[in-house]
Every structure is written in C-alpha cells, then in structure tokens.
C-alpha cells in the first residue's frame, strides 16, 4: 500500500487508542462519583464543544479567502530555470523544457500558500507533459508520498518512450470550478485538469500532422486536496469525478 495510507492508518489507530482511554476513565469516574460525575461530564462536554467550535472558527479565519476569487485557470509559476525550450518535431521530442521554480510563499500555512502550491503543481505537470521527468513531482510527493501513484506515471512515460511516441507541444491546464472547501488543515478544490496534446505527434514512429479532435485533449473533473503536512502543503493524488477526451 502507498506510504501515505500507512501513515493515515497509524494516525487512525492512535486516535482509537486515545478514545478508548478516555472512555475507560469516564466509566471509572461514573462508578465512584455518582451524581456529581454526571454534572462533571456535562461540564466537560460543554467545554469540549466550545473548544471544538473555537478551533473550527480559528481554522475558518486562517484560511478565509475574503473577497478573493480563486476560480478560473490556475496561472503557472512566474519563474523557471534559464533554458530555451524547443517544441518537438518530426526528428525529436520536446527538449530543454525549463523546470519551474517554487513560489516563495508556497510553504506558508495560509490559503495563499495552498494556492501557490497549486500553481507549482500545475507548472510541474506542464513540465512533465513535455519531458516525462518526474523528479519535481517526486519531490512534491515527499511530504506525503503515494508510491502507486508515482509508479503509474513512470509506467506511462516509459511506454511512450519505448513506443517512439511524443506530442510536439503538449500542455497542462488546471481550472478551479468552485470556492475552496476548508476542513481542519485540509483545503479541497473542485477543478478540471486538462492535458492538451495539440494536433501534431509522432505515434509509434509515424508522423501525424492532424490528430482527430478526440485525441487532442483529455480532461478530468474532480477534486484536489492540499493538506498542510510537515511544514508544507502536500497535494493528494487527483480524485476524479469523470474524464473526457475531445468533446
């Protein structure tokens, strides 16, 4: 199983143990304190509820978007390595695509930090579509790795390379469809992710200059979650609500 699942399982077990311990203490207090215990439990419950409400309100304020609208196409990052990109042609795949550089604020524990991470995420995928180089994605995944997720990408690009297949100028686009949903340290974004393949490609060694429209793009609609883990935002594997190609 992916390492991220293992970590979630460990957290769940820890939570279960804590709940069991609290339950045992509560039962012991009830059997020895009688009616006074009942009053104490009521007070404790009210205190816990107030604390939870205060925590929820603090989280809401910290990640409040205010008047800012995050909906629409996510812009790619502003800065890249100093390289001159060459689109693909009949002789070679795209080459010299510069790696995106991280925005300065992407590790901020704020809504802007989460959005900056999405910008970098989109830029990394745009870079991958041109190069097949997964190193930037692996580095992002290091905050909350999913091995199976990474292996699926590696297999896809290995198959493209071995079959002598490439698109001349493939691109990636992410479009946020709704306001972000905040829950604890997680922010969920409903969005589309589109791989734009263009019209020209080498498919199994053969040149195609007018790809049918259904092969020109692939779009997924679903959710991406950013979660603040170990001092930075981890982007969970895409949870798809369906996919389309062409119209």
């Amino acid at each position: 199983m992916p390492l991220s699942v293992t970590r979630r399982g460990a957290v769940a077990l820890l939570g279960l143990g804590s709940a069991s311990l609290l339950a045992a203490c509560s039962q012991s207090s009830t059997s020895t304190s009688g009616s006074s215990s009942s009053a104490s439990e009521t007070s404790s419950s009210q205190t816990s509820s107030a604390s939870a409400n205060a925590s929820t309100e603090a989280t809401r304020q910290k990640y409040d978007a205010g008047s800012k609208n995050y909906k629409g196409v996510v812009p790619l990052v502003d800065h890249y390595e100093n390289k001159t990109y060459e689109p693909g042609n009949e002789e070679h795949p795209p080459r010299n695509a510069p790696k995106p550089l991280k925005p300065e604020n992407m590790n901020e524990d704020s809504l802007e930090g989460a959005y900056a991470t999405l910008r970098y995420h989109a830029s990394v995928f745009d870079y991958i579509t041109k190069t097949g180089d997964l190193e930037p994605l692996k580095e992002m995944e290091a905050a909350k790795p999913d091995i199976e997720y990474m292996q699926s990408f590696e297999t896809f690009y290995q198959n493209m390379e071995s079959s002598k297949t490439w698109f001349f100028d493939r691109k990636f686009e992410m479009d946020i469809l709704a306001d972000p949903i905040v829950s604890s340290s997680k922010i969920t974004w409903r969005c589309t992710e589109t791989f734009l393949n263009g019209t020209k490609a080498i498919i199994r060694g053969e040149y195609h200059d007018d790809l049918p429209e259904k092969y020109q793009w692939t779009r997924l609609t679903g959710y991406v979650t950013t979660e603040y883990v170990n001092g930075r935002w981890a982007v969970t594997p895409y949870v798809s609500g369906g996919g389309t190609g062409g119209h």
Side-chain angles (χ1 to χ4, degrees):
M1 295 295 291
L3 292 178
S4 57
V5 174
T6 301
R7 288 182 180 179
R8 287 198 295 269
V11 171
L13 288 173
L14 179 60
L16 179 60
S18 300
S20 299
L21 178 61
L22 289 174
C25 291
S26 175
Q27 290 171 358
S28 174
S29 176
T30 302
S31 63
T32 57
S33 301
S35 60
S36 63
S37 173
S38 176
S40 175
E41 287 175 358
T42 300
S43 176
S44 176
S45 176
Q46 291 173 343
T47 301
S48 297
S49 177
S51 177
N53 289 338
S55 177
T56 299
E57 178 61 19
T59 297
R60 187 193 67 78
Q61 291 180 2
K62 180 164 67 170
Y63 299 136
D64 185 11
S67 60
K68 183 161 184 177
N69 181 8
Y70 288 96
K71 289 180 282 188
V73 175
V74 176
L76 303 183
V77 297
D78 298 323
H79 302 291
Y80 288 80
E81 286 181 330
N82 186 18
K83 285 186 177 181
T84 302
Y85 170 63
E86 296 179 45
N89 56 34
E90 295 178 55
E91 303 298 325
H92 62 76
R95 58 191 183 190
N96 291 331
K99 288 182 181 179
L101 302 180
K102 297 177 182 177
E104 291 184 359
N105 64 334
M106 68 178 278
N107 291 334
E108 273 183 13
D109 185 10
S110 65
L111 190 58
E112 277 295 293
Y115 186 70
T117 300
L118 284 188
R119 290 187 62 191
Y120 183 66
H121 168 83
S123 303
V124 164
F125 269 87
D126 186 67
Y127 168 78
I128 290 172
T129 62
K130 295 173 171 61
T131 65
D133 177 13
L134 300 177
E135 286 307 312
L137 182 60
K138 290 179 179 179
E139 196 280 332
M140 283 192 72
E141 281 285 303
K144 193 176 181 183
D146 188 322
I147 305 303
E148 186 177 359
Y149 178 63
M150 293 303 308
Q151 287 176 340
S152 67
F153 276 101
E154 289 178 339
T155 299
F156 175 78
Y157 284 104
Q158 286 170 359
N159 289 342
M160 284 189 67
E161 184 176 0
S162 64
S163 65
K164 295 183 179 180
T165 296
W166 63 82
F167 299 98
F168 282 19
D169 192 23
R170 201 171 186 226
K171 298 176 182 179
F172 175 85
E173 186 175 277
M174 184 176 187
D175 192 351
I176 295 175
L177 304 176
D179 293 331
I181 302 168
V182 177
S183 175
S184 186
S185 61
K186 294 182 180 180
I187 302 175
T188 301
W189 312 78
R190 179 164 173 77
C191 59
T192 62
E193 292 194 340
T194 306
F195 293 88
L196 299 160
N197 300 325
T199 60
K200 296 182 179 181
I202 301 295
I203 308 295
R204 299 189 181 279
E206 295 185 2
Y207 173 58
H208 297 261
D209 65 354
D210 190 17
L211 290 176
E213 188 171 6
K214 65 180 180 179
Y215 298 124
Q216 291 180 19
W217 55 271
T218 301
R219 176 171 297 140
L220 299 171
T221 302
Y223 300 88
V224 165
T225 298
T226 46
E227 180 179 6
Y228 203 67
V229 178
N230 299 328
R232 57 179 170 162
W233 290 96
V235 182
T236 61
Y238 192 81
V239 178
S240 176
T244 59
H247 289 297

